[in-house]
Amino acid sequence: MMGPAHSLSGAAAWLGVGAATAAAGHPMPWPVLLAGALICAGAALAPDLDHKAATISRSFGPVSRWLCEIVDKLSYAVYKATKKRADPRRSGGHRTLTHTWLWAVVIGAGTSALAITGGRWAVLAILFVHMVLAIEGLLWRAARGSSSDVLVWLLAGTSAWIIADILDKTDGGADWLFTAPGQEYLWLGLPIVLGALVHDIGDALTVSGCPILWPIPVGRKRWYPIGPPKVMRFRAGSWVELKVLMPVFMLLGGVGGAAALNFI
Ligand SMILES: [Zn+2]
């Protein structure tokens, strides 16, 4: 899928989690629901850091271009080192290492560790990065063109600051789910894991599939491209994605959000 559909599916997924946790007796305070949905929308773009043309690789100027090159090289090296004989030859790392459940968990756990050890500035940095991505993903029409980069960064910085302030208040939700002292913001890793997984599932629905299960082998392949039967798959950026999936994500997100806040 393309950036906007990935972002929308990420936001909808977190709102769905909000509905589920409310039903299970751990309702999210509204700042957690909002911040989590935005983080998840941003995190749902992150796996494409292995592709030069992807939103994330263009969102942070030279920093993300450089990071993209490293991630692509690393992914390709890991692919070559762990491929079985039935896995096809490839010429680059796109849709390999960063498109696996293991990557999602490692990135999420790393973010949680950073959030609880790094203090306010770490939380702000995590929020900033994901706000930039959420803006690029959800408001793609407004954020198009490299001249708008600085505006996006300013908007993301401001919203990260405001959101962190609201979360920090009593009942703001910094200690949602993990309530022991010192575990504030531990939950920040959850929307990041979820966003990456939702991205992988979205890619699995497209023609080329997605090796989500790596390093668990499937048959004679270790990078088995998971996906539904061929007839149910669509091309990235096709009308199915724009006219069917994106409205469905919006509807599901709306219902999830309303249920999470106990409106329905
Ligand atoms: Zn992808």
Side-chain angles (χ1 to χ4, degrees):
M1 295 198 296
M2 312 288 280
H6 280 308
S7 281
L8 266 183
S9 64
W14 184 259
L15 295 169
V17 169
T21 57
H26 286 281
M28 292 178 190
W30 71 266
V32 173
L33 189 70
L34 174 72
L38 291 171
I39 294 170
C40 201
L45 296 180
D48 280 344
L49 190 54
D50 60 6
H51 194 296
K52 273 207 297 292
T55 314
I56 181 170
S57 309
R58 294 180 285 120
S59 292
F60 301 92
V63 178
S64 51
R65 277 199 296 277
W66 173 76
L67 205 59
C68 168
E69 251 172 62
I70 294 181
V71 168
D72 182 39
K73 291 219 168 75
L74 172 72
S75 306
Y76 187 40
V78 172
Y79 183 85
K80 278 195 292 191
T82 61
K83 86 189 248 317
K84 289 202 189 196
R85 227 179 259 152
D87 288 307
R89 263 173 209 281
R90 311 182 46 105
S91 55
H94 183 46
R95 274 200 188 176
T96 57
L97 183 61
T98 59
H99 287 64
T100 61
W101 67 273
L102 189 59
W103 175 273
V105 170
V106 168
I107 293 290
T111 310
S112 283
L114 184 67
I116 56 171
T117 54
R120 181 177 169 85
W121 286 104
V123 170
L124 278 173
I126 295 165
L127 285 172
F128 171 73
V129 168
H130 290 88
M131 288 313 117
V132 169
L133 294 174
I135 294 166
E136 296 273 1
L138 296 174
L139 304 176
W140 72 101
R141 285 203 192 91
R144 202 160 40 189
S146 55
S147 56
S148 60
D149 274 0
V150 178
L151 286 176
V152 172
W153 298 337
L154 280 174
L155 182 57
T158 318
S159 25
W161 192 271
I162 294 171
I163 290 173
D165 274 349
I166 300 173
L167 287 171
D168 266 336
K169 290 203 177 101
T170 335
D171 299 334
D175 60 352
W176 174 69
L177 202 58
F178 304 96
T179 46
Q183 294 185 346
E184 289 84 8
Y185 294 108
L186 189 58
W187 62 269
L188 277 184
L190 296 177
I192 290 171
V193 175
L194 183 68
L197 289 178
V198 167
H199 177 108
D200 298 348
I201 294 168
D203 276 355
L205 298 177
T206 62
V207 176
S208 36
C210 186
I212 305 176
L213 290 183
W214 180 88
I216 302 166
V218 177
R220 288 162 55 235
K221 293 184 175 176
R222 194 180 297 283
W223 294 90
Y224 186 85
I226 301 281
K230 285 267 189 290
V231 285
M232 292 170 66
R233 301 191 187 192
F234 57 88
R235 250 166 227 296
S238 67
W239 68 271
V240 184
E241 184 176 322
L242 299 171
K243 304 279 189 232
V244 181
L245 289 180
M246 288 178 60
V248 167
F249 294 151
M250 283 187 212
L251 184 71
L252 289 178
V255 173
L261 295 171
N262 272 326
F263 286 130
I264 50 174

